[in-house]
Amino acid sequence: MTPTAATSLVADSAARAVLEVIAPQPHHRSPLLHFLFTFGPFGLFLVSIVDSSFIPLPIPGITDIMLVLMAARHDNWFLLVVMASAGSVIGGYLSYRVGQSGGMAFLEKRVPPRIFKMVREWMERHAVLAVALPAVLPPPMPLAPFVLAAGALRMSKRKFLTAFTISRTARHLIATGLGLYYGRPIVRLWNHLSAKYATTLLIVTWSLILLSCAIAFWQLYKAAKSVKASPGLTSQSGTTV
């Protein structure tokens, strides 16, 4: 073999090895991960609406998980952040309006007394911070009680949307950054964990998510109707924060 041919062979082998690393073949990808990717930015948008509403999803932080995994594939990170943030703002605003229409009586029915007291005190003393911190911090920090309280205590819509949008966008940027910078190990770990039970995880995970989304939208619809039909469920506090 001539030196030129040997050099060419080594170069070809190296090129194939690099391509296998940076662009793994489809058959190495788990079915669960593949389905998650095909769900796409629009799916991310729908899930983020529910994830930021007062109806919890079965998997805490599912929006963040989707962002990390999608960013790890080097999808359009800007589009991912925009879709996730837009969905989050819609979900948060719907819950804010439900809290605003239903008032403190509605909030008391849905929040345990101990948490209700803490949420009310935070909202009355640090309104913007009470929205911004839960919106940016990951689980187990609760979000829904603070969003409902923001509406029930008549926090200004402008303040609420500003604090909520900035905080959720910051959180989604962090999740996307993790996917971009640590994506390869994360995807390998996900593939490893899901390889054995990929089909089962696929069915269970998305059945729960889709069922929760359906229940959540139905609950939001019912809540909106109930607070409109019940004038008695108005805020007992005229405070504007």
Side-chain angles (χ1 to χ4, degrees):
M1 180 181 295
T2 65
T4 303
T7 302
S8 177
L9 180 61
V10 170
D12 289 344
S13 300
R16 282 195 297 269
V18 170
L19 286 173
E20 287 176 2
V21 170
I22 66 174
Q25 296 303 310
H27 66 268
H28 291 307
R29 186 184 300 165
S30 75
L32 180 60
L33 192 58
H34 177 71
F35 188 82
L36 182 65
F37 293 152
T38 58
F39 202 55
F42 183 69
L44 176 67
F45 172 74
L46 293 178
V47 169
S48 65
I49 292 177
V50 183
D51 201 23
S52 294
S53 75
F54 65 89
I55 308 297
L57 283 168
I59 304 175
I62 184 63
T63 303
D64 301 322
I65 295 172
M66 291 177 71
L67 278 169
V68 169
L69 294 173
M70 288 180 176
R73 287 185 69 240
H74 301 288
D75 287 349
N76 187 328
W77 67 268
F78 182 77
L79 177 63
L80 295 177
V81 172
V82 168
M83 296 298 279
S85 299
S88 292
V89 171
I90 291 172
Y93 181 65
L94 288 173
S95 297
Y96 166 85
R97 288 301 304 270
V98 167
Q100 188 177 54
S101 302
M104 297 306 293
F106 179 83
L107 184 62
E108 284 181 282
K109 287 182 178 181
R110 295 179 174 268
V111 179
R114 180 177 59 84
I115 298 179
F116 174 79
K117 181 181 178 182
M118 178 193 69
V119 169
R120 181 164 187 166
E121 289 176 354
W122 264 71
M123 287 300 306
E124 290 175 344
R125 295 177 185 176
H126 316 283
V128 173
L129 192 62
V131 170
L133 276 181
V136 77
L137 292 177
M141 181 69 182
L143 174 64
F146 291 94
V147 176
L148 289 170
L153 290 173
R154 298 297 191 264
M155 180 180 184
S156 109
K157 181 170 71 172
R158 180 180 59 81
K159 283 185 180 179
F160 170 79
L161 287 176
T162 300
F164 193 82
T165 302
I166 292 174
S167 298
R168 292 307 269 186
T169 301
R171 174 169 165 170
H172 296 149
L173 282 169
I174 292 170
T176 303
L178 289 174
L180 290 173
Y181 287 100
Y182 302 102
R184 199 174 307 284
I186 291 172
V187 171
R188 280 203 301 265
L189 176 62
W190 179 275
N191 282 336
H192 175 72
L193 293 176
S194 63
K196 189 173 182 181
Y197 304 106
T199 303
T200 303
L201 285 172
L202 171 63
I203 295 171
V204 172
T205 300
W206 287 104
S207 294
L208 288 173
I209 289 175
L210 293 175
L211 179 62
S212 295
C213 287
I215 293 173
F217 284 117
W218 174 246
Q219 290 289 339
L220 284 169
Y221 172 75
K222 285 177 60 180
K225 285 190 65 176
S226 68
V227 295
K228 286 180 181 177
S230 304
L233 285 179
T234 56
S235 176
Q236 298 173 1
S237 171
T239 305
T240 300
V241 291

